[in-house]
Amino acid sequence: MKTMNFINELNYAQAEAVKTIFGPLLVIAGAGSGKTRTLTCRMAYLVAQGVSPEKILLLTFTRRASKEMVERAGALLKMDCNKIIGGTFHSLCQYMLRFYGYLLGYSPNFTILDRSDAEDLINLLRNSLGLAERKKRFPKKDTLTNIYSKIINQQKTLENILSSEYPQFLDYYPEIERLFIEYTNYKKEHQLMDYDDLLLNWLNILKSYPQVREEISKRFEFIMVDEYQDTNILQGEIIKYMGEIHQNVMVVGDDSQSIYGFRGANYKNIFEFPKLFPNTKIIKLEQNYRSTQAILDVANAIISNSKIKYTKNLFTLKKEGEKPILFFAKDETESSKFIADRILELREKGLKLSQIAVLFRSAFHSFDLEVELTKRGIPFVKYGGLKLLEAAHIKDIIAFLKIISNPKDFLSWNRALLLLEGIGPRTAEKIINLLKQNQLDMFFSLDKLAYQFPQSEFKVFINLLKDLQSSKILPSELLIKIWEFYKPIFERVYYEDYFRREKDIEGLIALSEKYKTLEEFLTDLVLEPIEVTDFENIPKDEDYLVLSTIHSAKGLEWHTVFILSLIEGRFPSLYSLQKEEELEEERRLFYVAVTRAREKLFFIAPMTVYIPGEGKILAKISRFIKEIPSDLINVYEEDKEKIVNIKGNGINKTKKFSKILSPFKVGDMVKHPHFGVGEVLEVLSPEKIKVLFPNKGATLLHLKYVKLERLIN
């Protein structure tokens, strides 16, 4: 038996989760509670107990995460554990469909459509059905793709989705239904699957073929799922069927960190797991190894307001620590200056910029700050932007690769043909129709096409395809040959900034060098999209500040964290204010942001914001800040350059309306002749109110002696 000294380094709850190997297990892992270590140790423990690594399946939300966990498990045992199957749900499904897809009529070399491809195909069919020519506005391709994806991932009818989320398009129900039928048929006919098909088709096989379920249960005797709170309905069902025979399923997650509802994640999955597996054992990991208790107290207070939750209370042995600081800024400019000043102070004290992060609900919230950081010469990198595969030049070069992999991918043919000089939409359509007529021997028909369409660039393209199709070369060599052909086209099409885009293609070629087959490379590229910033030329040893959306920051941590724009309409977002379920997700998102901080945490609330077309408008402090007990945070007083404890200042006082006749009410924005703009916190009597001013703090005012102007009710 392998040595298991690593068990001694775990706390009681972690060790219990590691040693519980038979039967269904739900681990509720609070933020920073060591869930990755628990998963890693459990894999190592299984192997040490004599389980063959290839019998273990680990599902995570990135391929990188599963790879790192498997490598760590091997390091604990001082042996190679690479035969453990690790990956994402989508990568697992595509892998299984290469073997079992024939049961649904798919060949092993089907093409996977990324989001943008799916939109283009829906748009192509939308136009061919004449649906784009209506006088009344028909849904755009991205909206149609969203509707289709919601139908699949939420397992609802088209009528349900339109009624609840897109009522303005209910009149188009028959046309949208017809379009989606065409879309489904086209994909099947041309050996294409989109992201949703990967899950749906694998689930259909599991449901329909008991012998497949039996084979899978023998192949994967122990199943582990990370971040289970972010799974959707289909993924939950896949786990149910894959684990139904042996029941050895462990899922790990935190209901308080379910923040991907907009992608179709169903946070209820984590509550329904014990219903799918009735004998489920539940273990809670509550000891936090990341943050100070002062930060955890705020996190616990935030999540205590959730309507549906597994009750847990994060604690740490790190009892020291500063209370989080709340800064009321006059506007976004003052917010940016405050953050820049604090960052420079921290750097002077020896803290690296890379240990500091500024987090925000939406990418545009940091625009003003980016200007200020540039002025101050503070280097930064921003995450939560464009994916590499969404860049047009990368989609071009991938289209060539997809044609070689699957000649029936006419969507890629269309993109590639339109890049060639002398070929427009009509000519491209003629070529594609001729290819469709000769699907049994498409590459034989290419010679005929070269004579029918004498455009020089097209002829070179045809010769390149014939050459690459017949030769068995590595993906990196394929890319180099395609790049040689594509480069003059690339410089012509993207003449304004091709020199900037070129580094992306160089990075893509470098990335392809670790792959042996084109199918494997394309699959990873589509299923694990790379951020454009991954290829930015930032030296590894350079120190830079991190700016990030909260969604992109999940799973990461920093010494110091600033959270921007904590005002109503921004955080929580304007779109969430009308739906309780979405507002609950916003609260969980705030909890995720708070728990990224190890030592210092700053809340930034500008009292006025600029709205294009409207100018500066007054803002109201976020309800999430108001929910935090006032003795858990400090307010920064800029004019006195000091921090004051706000215990008893009423930031989270209950609103009082009853029987007090006053010209003002709680929540009113008012203007004082000396203190400026503030918010009414409490109405104490017809003549006394308490107002919070950014530069003064909570102030008791006698209305007999002061003239206040009401600005917003």
Side-chain angles (χ1 to χ4, degrees):
M1 186 180 287
K2 296 286 181 184
T3 178
M4 292 191 290
N5 293 335
F6 55 84
I7 296 288
N8 300 328
E9 297 175 10
L10 303 174
N11 65 39
Y12 179 81
Q14 291 172 332
E16 188 182 6
V18 167
K19 292 177 182 178
T20 305
I21 61 175
F22 294 109
L25 174 63
L26 170 60
V27 178
I28 304 298
S33 63
K35 74 175 176 66
T36 300
R37 170 184 280 208
T38 304
L39 280 165
T40 301
C41 289
R42 191 170 189 270
M43 282 189 289
Y45 185 80
L46 284 168
V47 175
Q49 292 292 315
V51 176
S52 298
E54 58 266 29
K55 297 284 187 182
I56 302 170
L57 172 65
L58 171 67
L59 292 173
T60 61
F61 269 77
T62 66
R63 295 280 291 277
R64 186 184 300 171
S66 63
K67 186 171 182 288
E68 287 176 358
M69 284 190 223
V70 170
E71 286 174 353
R72 287 185 197 176
L76 289 174
L77 294 173
K78 297 181 171 57
M79 65 174 283
D80 187 357
C81 286
N82 288 336
K83 287 188 178 177
I84 292 175
I85 304 298
T88 65
F89 273 93
H90 289 87
S91 65
L92 169 75
C93 292
Q94 72 79 28
Y95 178 73
M96 303 315 288
L97 287 166
R98 302 286 180 196
F99 289 97
Y100 293 104
Y102 72 91
L103 294 169
L104 300 179
Y106 282 93
S107 65
N109 70 327
F110 63 82
T111 295
I112 303 171
L113 300 174
D114 67 15
R115 168 68 190 222
S116 181
D117 291 333
E119 286 183 3
D120 289 345
L121 176 53
I122 282 177
N123 197 47
L124 190 73
L125 296 172
R126 173 176 169 262
N127 292 334
S128 69
L129 292 171
L131 298 175
E133 299 163 10
R134 301 300 181 92
K135 290 179 183 177
K136 195 177 172 186
R137 211 161 173 80
F138 195 75
K140 292 180 179 178
K141 63 179 183 178
D142 57 337
T143 303
L144 289 164
T145 309
N146 281 336
I147 293 169
Y148 182 84
S149 187
K150 285 174 187 288
I151 291 169
I152 302 299
N153 285 305
Q154 296 179 24
Q155 291 291 277
K156 292 181 179 177
T157 64
L158 171 60
E159 189 175 6
N160 287 152
I161 297 297
L162 290 181
S163 298
S164 62
E165 299 188 47
Y166 303 91
Q168 69 273 32
F169 298 131
L170 272 170
D171 290 346
Y172 283 127
Y173 175 88
E175 290 91 342
I176 296 173
E177 185 179 44
R178 182 180 164 211
L179 172 62
F180 288 167
I181 291 169
E182 287 288 323
Y183 177 60
T184 303
N185 292 339
Y186 186 99
K187 287 184 293 179
K188 187 75 176 285
E189 184 184 343
H190 297 92
Q191 297 289 302
L192 305 171
M193 289 193 207
D194 59 30
Y195 286 149
D196 301 320
D197 292 327
L198 295 174
L199 300 176
L200 187 64
N201 289 337
W202 177 233
L203 177 58
N204 285 341
I205 288 173
L206 288 171
K207 278 183 174 179
S208 306
Y209 296 92
Q211 70 272 29
V212 173
R213 295 204 295 273
E214 194 172 336
E215 286 175 24
I216 293 302
S217 71
K218 289 177 182 175
R219 181 167 185 176
F220 303 121
E221 291 181 2
F222 295 90
I223 299 173
M224 291 188 282
V225 186
D226 189 18
E227 305 283 13
Y228 192 70
Q229 78 280 350
D230 292 327
T231 54
N232 62 31
I233 292 172
L234 295 178
Q235 290 162 336
E237 280 204 82
I238 285 169
I239 292 303
K240 170 191 166 184
Y241 284 107
M242 288 183 70
E244 76 170 3
I245 294 175
H246 53 64
Q247 300 271 303
N248 298 327
V249 178
M250 172 203 198
V251 299
V252 182
D254 182 2
D255 52 297
S256 302
Q257 295 188 73
S258 179
I259 59 172
Y260 295 111
F262 66 96
R263 291 184 190 167
N266 179 29
Y267 80 100
K268 292 177 183 175
N269 272 8
I270 202 164
F271 299 103
E272 292 172 0
F273 182 80
K275 296 176 187 175
L276 296 180
F277 296 91
N279 297 316
T280 295
K281 180 177 182 178
I282 299 176
I283 296 172
K284 295 179 183 178
L285 305 184
E286 297 176 289
Q287 184 174 346
N288 179 284
Y289 293 90
R290 177 187 299 154
S291 308
T292 63
Q293 191 62 51
I295 291 171
L296 296 181
D297 287 342
V298 169
N300 289 330
I302 291 164
I303 215 62
S304 69
N305 289 285
S306 285
K307 303 288 188 293
I308 304 173
K309 59 183 178 294
Y310 282 108
T311 302
K312 59 183 173 297
N313 192 59
L314 296 180
F315 69 92
T316 180
L317 301 180
K318 295 161 64 177
K319 298 300 179 187
E320 306 82 17
E322 301 173 10
K323 290 180 184 180
I325 294 166
L326 171 61
F327 176 60
F328 290 102
K330 293 174 186 172
D331 51 26
E332 289 181 278
T333 301
E334 189 173 68
S335 293
S336 301
K337 288 178 179 176
F338 173 81
I339 293 169
D341 286 343
R342 302 293 81 73
I343 288 168
L344 291 174
E345 285 173 9
L346 289 165
R347 189 165 67 172
E348 282 294 311
K349 292 177 181 176
L351 188 66
K352 286 189 171 183
L353 289 176
S354 57
Q355 285 299 307
I356 307 171
V358 182
L359 306 182
F360 30 86
R361 174 65 184 83
S362 300
F364 76 90
H365 294 172
S366 70
F367 288 170
D368 189 275
L369 176 62
E370 289 169 46
V371 172
E372 184 66 24
L373 293 172
T374 304
K375 280 182 192 172
R376 305 278 193 108
I378 300 173
F380 64 89
V381 62
K382 185 175 180 179
Y383 293 99
L386 185 71
K387 301 289 184 190
L388 186 72
L389 217 62
E390 293 169 5
H393 53 295
I394 296 296
K395 290 191 71 65
D396 292 345
I397 210 162
I398 296 300
F400 295 127
L401 291 177
K402 285 183 174 179
I403 291 168
I404 295 163
S405 173
N406 175 15
K408 292 183 181 179
D409 184 351
F410 297 115
L411 202 62
S412 292
W413 271 103
N414 188 61
R415 185 178 190 99
L417 290 170
L418 292 176
L419 289 167
L420 307 180
E421 210 157 30
I423 293 184
R426 287 188 179 179
T427 307
E429 189 178 357
K430 286 179 187 175
I431 293 170
I432 288 170
N433 286 335
L434 288 167
L435 286 168
K436 286 180 179 178
Q437 291 168 21
N438 296 279
Q439 287 190 49
L440 292 176
D441 193 359
M442 287 178 64
F443 281 91
F444 174 74
S445 66
L446 290 180
D447 290 325
K448 290 183 180 179
L449 287 171
Y451 287 109
Q452 283 181 264
F453 300 93
Q455 291 89 337
S456 58
E457 223 164 50
F458 179 66
K459 283 187 174 182
V460 177
F461 177 52
I462 294 299
N463 290 332
L464 174 71
L465 286 181
K466 287 169 64 181
D467 177 46
L468 295 180
Q469 178 68 19
S470 59
S471 59
K472 298 290 181 184
I473 58 177
L474 293 170
S476 56
E477 295 168 352
L478 265 175
L479 265 174
I480 289 167
K481 286 181 177 288
I482 288 171
W483 176 227
E484 288 172 0
F485 165 74
Y486 174 63
K487 192 172 183 181
I489 299 170
F490 168 77
E491 291 179 357
R492 181 178 75 237
V493 174
Y494 305 105
Y495 65 94
E496 289 184 342
D497 62 348
Y498 71 85
F499 50 88
R500 181 179 60 80
R501 295 171 181 255
E502 196 165 345
K503 71 175 185 300
D504 293 340
I505 292 172
E506 290 168 1
L508 192 69
I509 294 170
L511 186 70
S512 70
E513 288 177 357
K514 64 179 181 179
Y515 292 90
K516 292 182 180 177
T517 69
L518 177 57
E519 286 70 26
E520 187 187 5
F521 175 58
L522 284 174
T523 296
D524 272 14
L525 202 61
V526 174
L527 294 183
E528 197 79 10
I530 303 157
E531 299 278 358
V532 169
T533 47
D534 287 354
F535 288 152
E536 286 185 0
N537 190 24
I538 301 171
K540 295 293 181 188
D541 57 349
E542 186 175 329
D543 191 27
Y544 52 87
L545 173 73
V546 175
L547 307 185
S548 177
T549 60
I550 300 164
H551 285 102
S552 296
K554 190 167 179 285
L556 304 175
E557 60 182 74
W558 293 271
H559 176 280
T560 299
V561 168
F562 296 84
I563 304 177
L564 281 185
S565 289
L566 281 160
I567 53 177
E568 291 288 291
R570 286 202 171 180
F571 204 172
S573 71
L574 186 63
Y575 304 105
S576 70
L577 299 180
Q578 303 304 316
K579 291 188 178 179
E580 187 175 334
E581 199 165 293
E582 290 184 17
L583 190 60
E584 284 291 295
E585 182 158 313
E586 293 285 303
R587 182 177 282 105
R588 296 193 295 269
L589 191 63
F590 185 41
Y591 172 85
V592 167
V594 166
T595 53
R596 299 312 94 201
R598 291 200 302 267
E599 303 285 342
K600 289 179 180 288
L601 179 61
F602 292 87
F603 299 129
I604 311 297
M607 299 304 283
T608 59
V609 289
Y610 179 79
I611 305 292
E614 295 183 35
K616 278 198 173 185
I617 65 166
L618 288 157
K620 298 187 82 169
I621 188 169
S622 168
R623 67 192 66 196
F624 300 148
I625 291 293
K626 290 184 177 182
E627 288 174 356
I628 301 170
S630 54
D631 59 341
L632 296 183
I633 53 178
N634 288 334
V635 168
Y636 187 95
E637 290 202 1
E638 185 73 8
D639 56 344
K640 296 179 182 177
E641 294 189 350
K642 70 175 183 178
I643 295 164
V644 295
N645 190 293
I646 61 170
K647 185 172 182 179
N649 73 357
I651 269 196
N652 68 323
K653 294 285 184 185
T654 305
K655 293 184 179 182
K656 295 185 179 180
F657 298 102
S658 60
K659 298 182 181 178
I660 296 179
L661 300 174
S662 169
F664 301 100
K665 65 179 184 292
V666 174
D668 278 352
M669 301 301 294
V670 296
K671 187 174 182 182
H672 188 281
H674 301 298
F675 305 143
V677 176
E679 181 182 2
V680 177
L681 293 175
E682 196 170 351
V683 178
L684 301 169
S685 74
E687 297 174 352
K688 291 181 185 178
I689 63 171
K690 191 176 283 187
V691 179
L692 180 67
F693 296 103
N695 292 331
K696 182 167 172 50
T699 306
L700 182 66
L701 297 176
H702 293 261
L703 299 179
K704 276 187 177 181
Y705 309 112
V706 67
K707 186 176 180 181
L708 285 183
E709 177 188 353
R710 181 192 284 107
L711 299 172
I712 279 186
N713 288 325

Coordinates of all heavy atoms in Angstrom, one line a residue, residues 8 103 163-164 196 200 208 239 316 335 337 351 361 398 486 518 528 578 595 630:
N8 N -2.6 13.2 7.2 CA -2.3 13.8 8.5 C -2.3 15.3 8.4 O -2.5 16.0 9.4 CB -1.0 13.4 9.0 CG -0.9 11.9 9.3 OD1 -1.9 11.3 9.6 ND2 0.2 11.3 9.1
L103 N -24.3 5.5 -32.6 CA -25.7 5.2 -32.2 C -26.7 6.2 -32.6 O -27.9 5.9 -32.7 CB -25.7 4.9 -30.7 CG -24.9 3.7 -30.2 CD1 -24.8 3.7 -28.7 CD2 -25.5 2.4 -30.7
S163 N -42.2 33.1 -23.5 CA -43.1 33.7 -22.6 C -42.4 34.4 -21.4 O -42.8 35.5 -21.0 CB -44.1 32.7 -22.1 OG -44.9 32.1 -23.1
S164 N -41.4 33.7 -20.8 CA -40.8 34.2 -19.6 C -39.7 35.3 -19.9 O -39.5 36.2 -19.1 CB -40.2 33.1 -18.8 OG -39.2 32.4 -19.5
D196 N -24.1 22.7 -26.9 CA -25.2 22.0 -26.2 C -25.5 20.6 -26.7 O -25.9 19.8 -25.9 CB -26.5 22.9 -26.4 CG -26.3 24.3 -25.9 OD1 -25.7 24.5 -24.8 OD2 -26.7 25.3 -26.5
L200 N -26.3 17.1 -24.7 CA -27.6 16.5 -25.1 C -27.5 15.1 -25.7 O -28.2 14.2 -25.3 CB -28.4 17.4 -26.0 CG -29.9 17.1 -26.3 CD1 -30.7 17.1 -25.0 CD2 -30.5 18.0 -27.3
S208 N -31.0 6.1 -23.5 CA -31.6 5.1 -24.4 C -30.9 3.8 -24.5 O -31.5 2.8 -24.9 CB -31.6 5.8 -25.8 OG -32.2 7.0 -25.8
I239 N -24.5 12.9 -14.7 CA -23.9 12.3 -13.6 C -24.8 11.2 -13.0 O -24.4 10.1 -12.6 CB -23.6 13.4 -12.5 CG1 -22.5 14.3 -13.0 CG2 -23.2 12.7 -11.2 CD1 -21.2 13.6 -13.3
T316 N -11.6 30.9 10.6 CA -10.1 30.7 10.3 C -9.4 30.8 11.6 O -9.9 31.4 12.6 CB -9.6 31.8 9.3 OG1 -8.2 31.6 9.1 CG2 -9.8 33.2 9.9
S335 N -13.1 58.1 -7.0 CA -12.9 56.7 -6.7 C -11.6 56.2 -7.3 O -10.8 55.5 -6.6 CB -14.0 55.8 -7.4 OG -15.2 56.1 -6.9
K337 N -8.9 58.0 -8.1 CA -7.7 58.6 -7.4 C -7.5 57.9 -6.1 O -6.3 57.7 -5.7 CB -8.0 60.1 -7.3 CG -7.9 60.9 -8.6 CD -8.2 62.4 -8.3 CE -8.0 63.1 -9.6 NZ -8.4 64.6 -9.5
L351 N 4.5 45.7 -1.0 CA 3.6 44.7 -1.6 C 3.7 44.8 -3.1 O 3.6 45.9 -3.7 CB 2.2 45.0 -1.1 CG 1.1 44.0 -1.5 CD1 1.3 42.7 -0.8 CD2 -0.3 44.5 -1.2
R361 N -18.3 44.4 -11.4 CA -19.4 43.6 -11.9 C -19.4 43.5 -13.4 O -19.6 42.4 -14.0 CB -20.7 44.2 -11.4 CG -22.0 43.6 -11.9 CD -22.1 42.2 -11.5 NE -23.3 41.5 -12.0 CZ -23.3 41.0 -13.2 NH1 -22.3 41.0 -14.0 NH2 -24.4 40.4 -13.7
I398 N -8.8 28.9 -38.4 CA -9.5 27.7 -37.9 C -10.4 27.1 -38.9 O -10.6 25.9 -39.0 CB -10.2 28.0 -36.6 CG1 -9.2 28.5 -35.5 CG2 -11.0 26.8 -36.1 CD1 -8.2 27.4 -35.1
Y486 N -2.3 31.9 -46.1 CA -3.2 32.9 -45.6 C -2.6 34.2 -45.4 O -3.2 35.3 -45.4 CB -3.8 32.3 -44.3 CG -4.7 33.3 -43.5 CD1 -5.9 33.8 -44.1 CD2 -4.3 33.7 -42.2 CE1 -6.7 34.6 -43.3 CE2 -5.1 34.6 -41.5 CZ -6.3 35.0 -42.1 OH -7.1 35.9 -41.4
L518 N -5.0 16.6 -35.5 CA -5.7 17.8 -35.8 C -7.0 17.8 -35.0 O -7.4 18.8 -34.5 CB -6.0 17.9 -37.3 CG -6.9 19.1 -37.7 CD1 -6.2 20.4 -37.3 CD2 -7.0 19.0 -39.3
E528 N -12.0 24.7 -24.9 CA -11.2 25.4 -23.8 C -10.8 26.7 -24.4 O -9.6 26.9 -24.6 CB -10.1 24.5 -23.4 CG -9.4 24.9 -22.0 CD -10.2 24.5 -20.9 OE1 -11.2 23.6 -21.0 OE2 -10.0 24.9 -19.7
Q578 N -35.5 43.3 -10.9 CA -36.9 42.9 -11.0 C -37.1 41.5 -10.8 O -38.3 41.0 -10.6 CB -37.4 43.3 -12.4 CG -37.2 44.8 -12.8 CD -37.9 45.7 -11.9 OE1 -39.0 45.5 -11.4 NE2 -37.2 46.8 -11.5
T595 N -14.6 37.2 -0.9 CA -13.8 36.1 -0.4 C -12.5 35.9 -1.3 O -11.8 34.9 -1.1 CB -14.6 34.7 -0.4 OG1 -15.3 34.5 -1.6 CG2 -15.6 34.8 0.7
S630 N -23.1 47.2 10.8 CA -22.2 48.4 10.7 C -20.9 48.2 11.5 O -19.9 48.9 11.3 CB -22.9 49.6 11.2 OG -23.5 49.3 12.5

